Amino acid sequence: MVEEDGMDLEEEEEEDYRSESRRKASTVFSVIASVLSGFLGNWACFKVSEMLNVPSQAFPAAGSQQRVAPAGQSRNKVVLKPGHSLLDWIRLTKSGQDLTGLRGRLIEVTEDELKKHNTKKDCWTCIRGMVYNLSAYMDFHPGGEEELMRAAGIDSTDLFDEVHRWVNYESMLKECLVGRMAVKPSPALQAHTEKTESTHLNGLSAPPSLRPEPLSAPLPAKDHRPRYDWFQTDGTVNIVVYTKRKIPSAGCAVVDLQDDNLRVEMLLGRMSYLLYWRLSSRVQDHVDVQTAHSVGKVQLCLRKSVKEKWTQLGQSLEHHDTFIQCKDRGLFYRECVLLSKTDVTHNTQLLRLQLPPGSRMQVPVGRHVYLKTSVQGTDVVKPYTAVDQMLIPPSQSSAEVGSDIHLMIKVYPDGVLTPHIANLPIGASLSVGGPEGSLTLRVLRDVTHLYMLAAGTGFTPMARLIRLALQEFTVIRKMKLMFFNRQERDILWQSQLDELCTKEERFEVQHVLSEPADSWTGRRGRIDACMLQNFLERPENSKCLVCVCGPAGFTESAVQLVRQLDFSEEELHVFQA
Ligand code: NAP
């Protein structure tokens, strides 16, 4: 059985995380600083202390529409008035209309000034030090005016991070930009800022492009941080990462060689270990990744462009050698090529995307990636759970592990991104960010009964979970999927699921249709207590886990019902994206 090494290391990871936080403060600064400097060009020197909005809780946090809310506190999407879709908003931002009331001027906003703009008709908010006028966006916001007004006149960075951390607000709200906050530095950070901001452009402070000196922090007694080493031969450079924990079979490495920059991220449960260099010499654009799962070792092999001895591997870039929670790591994008599109149902396609030659991505089970594309000049980003090519591939596919990603995408005719994706020709490029996600395999530890409640494309995270559970978690005695769809033609991978049922004694699927044809002999309706009562058995000496994924309303109902049946929080996992 695979262990994601984690349970026993969890506390140490937290400890590592805390000891990392001071170092992180400096590196977060440098990212925010570089974003803002790119955004504002030669603006007057900005202070960083109040921009350090490190998300304080798990993403999506409580209250997020991505997360199931407690009963009666759900975040409902409002019905937008006609002419107020995302596409309409994009059109408005391109129309040249003055959306800030400042006729294109950018100003410096004091806290007192920000507070004054707190009405629907005059609603300013600050996100990561930048101030936006949200009044024009009010009627376009899917969460509604009331939710947006929570941000009126204040720094709403934390609110924003709770709900929409992955949304590209810089692009969405660029025409609403009022200016930047004029902030007072805190003495502690000012001291550090003075130390690291040594370069000046046009007399203005510029953020450092390379990693600032790490603040000294005592190492925890037991050092569970991964570490790395490198060595070279005449023609190769080899980097070895010791994760200090077993690596699940799906792997954990995300490698991106772009130009001469090599970024290596190890996704280890809730933690992320990052190595990031500007290499000292050129290499060919193919990276070979070998994983020794049981010993927790990942070896990268790069081929030198010129056979010469390297005196050093390269120069450290931002966040190099940091070990932090995945949720605190920024998204990294790479351009992928659309290799194929296969129909799964009448409205759902399986996309196969090929990573660039210098990239390898081993997406952990249950995690999602982000597709980003420009719709009329505005970046639109959506999460999609990675799946395998089939429910249970007969053997390892011929493609090199980690070089392709499969995504199952339902095309919504009135959607913004999916019709665009559906119309992309083979060979087109798509920007893929991530992976991200909250599932760690330790939730499966000792589980004997795995239950999955999935609706529509909410099946996608279950697909790899089923395979993993069947192949590697022998302790699981029973795994049951209750799969909710509208009509029979909407059922994803129906024949593969049915085939698996006949082959695997441990696996069972029950289909439930909300709009069945008269000929349907199976279950009908929406999720209810009666259905679950029989489905979620709890035999003696069992350890159960219930996984839920689907539309927000479905998920909310499912979670309430599962809780009513006395399943604890530890026995429940909700997939969110
Ligand atoms: P869908 O076809 O609209 O609905 C599937 C089934 O769920 C239908 O039977 C539907 O019944 C039922 N349902 C919908 N809302 C319900 C509610 N409030 N209460 C009870 N049953 C309800 O689903 P879809 O279009 O494929 O959407 C799938 C959703 O899953 C998307 O929202 C997607 O974002 C989400 N998803 C999340 C993740 C993740 O978080 N990792 C991954 C994949 C997908 P009715 O016909 O009665 O509506």
Side-chain angles (χ1 to χ4, degrees):
M1 172 173 131
V2 167
E3 287 177 8
E4 206 188 16
D5 177 74
M7 203 76 116
D8 39 338
L9 291 181
E10 193 164 336
E11 280 171 20
E12 285 90 341
E13 283 177 350
E14 289 297 346
E15 200 178 323
D16 289 349
Y17 175 60
R18 280 194 294 277
S19 72
E20 190 78 23
S21 60
R22 293 185 68 208
R23 181 184 352 210
K24 191 175 68 177
S26 60
T27 50
V28 165
F29 152 69
S30 98
V31 166
I32 293 173
S34 58
V35 167
L36 295 183
S37 71
F39 208 20
L40 293 180
N42 280 348
W43 264 25
C45 156
F46 64 87
K47 309 288 193 322
V48 298
S49 57
E50 292 179 25
M51 297 177 191
L52 294 177
N53 287 295
V54 181
S56 56
Q57 45 191 321
F59 170 77
S64 153
Q65 66 169 344
Q66 323 294 331
R67 186 179 278 275
V68 179
Q73 292 180 25
S74 66
R75 174 187 184 266
N76 290 324
K77 286 193 171 188
V78 298
V79 179
L80 296 172
K81 290 182 225 151
H84 288 81
S85 68
L86 174 57
L87 218 51
D88 294 314
W89 170 250
I90 293 171
R91 273 189 215 113
L92 177 62
T93 61
K94 307 280 169 235
S95 67
Q97 212 174 310
D98 176 17
L99 302 184
T100 60
L102 294 171
R103 293 192 212 94
R105 251 182 335 124
L106 294 176
I107 60 169
E108 196 166 277
V109 182
T110 61
E111 259 177 56
D112 288 343
E113 184 65 30
L114 179 65
K115 279 185 204 154
K116 289 182 200 159
H117 301 268
N118 61 359
T119 62
K120 188 191 165 195
K121 294 219 151 32
D122 180 21
C123 173
W124 290 12
T125 196
C126 168
I127 308 174
R128 293 194 176 79
M130 311 308 285
V131 180
Y132 299 90
N133 184 339
L134 301 178
S135 299
Y137 185 58
M138 210 55 81
D139 292 338
F140 293 83
H141 182 51
E145 172 191 322
E146 201 182 316
E147 187 183 88
L148 215 50
M149 283 305 294
R150 289 170 64 206
I154 60 166
D155 183 332
S156 63
T157 309
D158 287 342
L159 276 177
F160 178 85
D161 280 341
E162 282 175 21
V163 185
H164 297 310
R165 192 168 80 90
W166 48 272
V167 169
N168 193 337
Y169 66 93
E170 292 102 326
S171 179
M172 290 279 293
L173 297 178
K174 63 183 172 221
E175 297 306 323
C176 303
L177 183 66
V178 167
R180 66 174 169 82
M181 283 301 288
V183 292
K184 299 175 239 88
S186 79
L189 268 160
Q190 190 178 27
H192 181 60
T193 308
E194 279 161 8
K195 188 173 160 217
T196 54
E197 283 190 344
S198 53
T199 42
H200 288 259
L201 289 175
N202 301 330
L204 308 173
S205 271
S209 61
L210 296 177
R211 180 165 66 112
E213 285 291 302
L215 295 171
S216 59
L219 277 179
K222 250 174 152 187
D223 185 9
H224 288 296
R225 282 171 55 97
R227 65 177 185 85
Y228 74 94
D229 218 339
W230 73 284
F231 63 91
Q232 59 184 314
T233 65
D234 273 359
T236 65
V237 170
N238 301 274
I239 298 160
V240 187
V241 183
Y242 304 94
T243 59
K244 299 193 187 170
R245 60 214 81 207
K246 288 179 184 172
I247 298 171
S249 58
C252 68
V254 181
V255 179
D256 290 282
L257 175 65
Q258 292 185 354
D259 302 320
D260 293 333
N261 292 351
L262 178 68
R263 184 184 186 277
V264 181
E265 184 176 3
M266 298 288 152
L267 300 167
L268 304 165
R270 285 178 297 129
M271 305 297 285
S272 151
Y273 179 59
L274 185 80
L275 299 170
Y276 201 9
W277 298 275
R278 179 165 301 140
L279 295 173
S280 52
S281 263
R282 303 226 70 165
V283 291
Q284 292 171 22
D285 62 2
H286 179 93
V287 184
D288 183 44
V289 180
Q290 302 288 339
T291 306
H293 298 270
S294 55
V295 291
K297 190 175 109 173
V298 179
Q299 184 162 337
L300 272 62
C301 179
L302 310 167
R303 279 172 196 79
K304 293 175 179 172
S305 296
V306 178
K307 287 189 178 176
E308 61 186 8
K309 193 167 176 227
W310 290 20
T311 52
Q312 57 164 351
L313 189 52
Q315 196 175 6
S316 305
L317 296 177
E318 289 136 355
H319 308 295
H320 171 69
D321 201 15
T322 52
F323 188 45
I324 62 173
Q325 296 220 8
C326 294
K327 68 183 175 64
D328 295 331
R329 183 79 73 203
L331 277 182
F332 186 85
Y333 283 89
R334 69 286 290 159
E335 285 300 308
C336 295
V337 174
L338 179 60
L339 276 191
S340 66
K341 286 190 274 188
T342 316
D343 287 339
V344 178
T345 65
H346 62 106
N347 61 5
T348 304
Q349 299 178 330
L350 185 68
L351 263 56
R352 183 173 167 198
L353 300 171
Q354 185 180 47
L355 289 151
S359 294
R360 289 287 169 273
M361 192 193 282
Q362 300 171 336
V363 184
V365 170
R367 308 243 177 149
H368 49 266
V369 297
Y370 294 93
L371 291 189
K372 179 167 78 174
T373 193
S374 174
V375 177
Q376 299 187 12
T378 295
D379 285 343
V380 180
V381 183
K382 295 274 180 202
Y384 292 98
T385 310
V387 294
D388 291 313
Q389 199 174 356
M390 300 169 72
L391 190 55
I392 309 281
S395 60
Q396 194 63 265
S397 72
S398 54
E400 197 179 333
V401 178
S403 60
D404 292 352
I405 312 168
H406 290 93
L407 302 175
M408 211 182 258
I409 294 187
K410 183 186 253 191
V411 181
Y412 297 93
D414 55 353
V416 173
L417 187 64
T418 54
H420 172 84
I421 293 173
N423 288 328
L424 281 179
I426 302 303
S429 72
L430 263 174
S431 203
V432 176
E436 259 198 5
S438 59
L439 181 76
T440 65
L441 300 189
R442 69 175 61 101
V443 298
L444 285 171
R445 183 172 281 193
D446 301 330
V447 165
T448 57
H449 288 69
L450 174 63
Y451 300 114
M452 292 162 277
L453 306 174
T457 56
F459 165 69
T460 52
M462 311 300 180
R464 288 178 79 208
L465 186 60
I466 292 169
R467 179 182 173 194
L468 176 89
L470 281 173
Q471 295 184 338
E472 298 181 32
F473 284 81
T474 47
V475 181
I476 298 180
R477 299 201 291 272
K478 193 83 203 161
M479 58 195 84
K480 300 205 300 187
L481 168 70
M482 192 174 266
F483 194 4
F484 298 82
N485 282 284
R486 293 201 163 136
Q487 301 175 10
E488 194 170 359
R489 66 180 189 146
D490 297 322
I491 302 175
L492 303 168
W493 281 348
Q494 184 181 13
S495 57
Q496 293 189 52
L497 282 168
D498 293 344
E499 195 187 323
L500 193 62
C501 271
T502 54
K503 273 193 194 153
E504 277 285 349
E505 232 178 90
R506 292 190 291 154
F507 180 69
E508 187 185 315
V509 61
Q510 288 188 22
H511 295 291
V512 185
L513 298 184
S514 53
E515 295 171 15
D518 292 343
S519 54
W520 176 253
T521 54
R523 277 181 176 271
R524 299 160 174 256
R526 280 181 151 198
I527 189 165
D528 64 29
C530 183
M531 282 180 200
L532 295 192
Q533 214 143 28
N534 300 325
F535 184 76
L536 301 176
E537 312 153 286
R538 197 200 271 281
E540 225 171 282
N541 295 326
S542 60
K543 184 177 173 202
C544 302
L545 178 69
V546 186
C547 295
V548 177
C549 189
F554 166 86
T555 304
E556 195 166 329
S557 303
V559 167
Q560 273 176 22
L561 293 167
V562 171
R563 283 182 184 147
Q564 281 164 18
L565 290 171
D566 280 342
F567 284 86
S568 65
E569 294 306 307
E570 289 70 43
E571 292 174 315
L572 182 63
H573 180 83
V574 180
F575 285 98
Q576 302 127 4

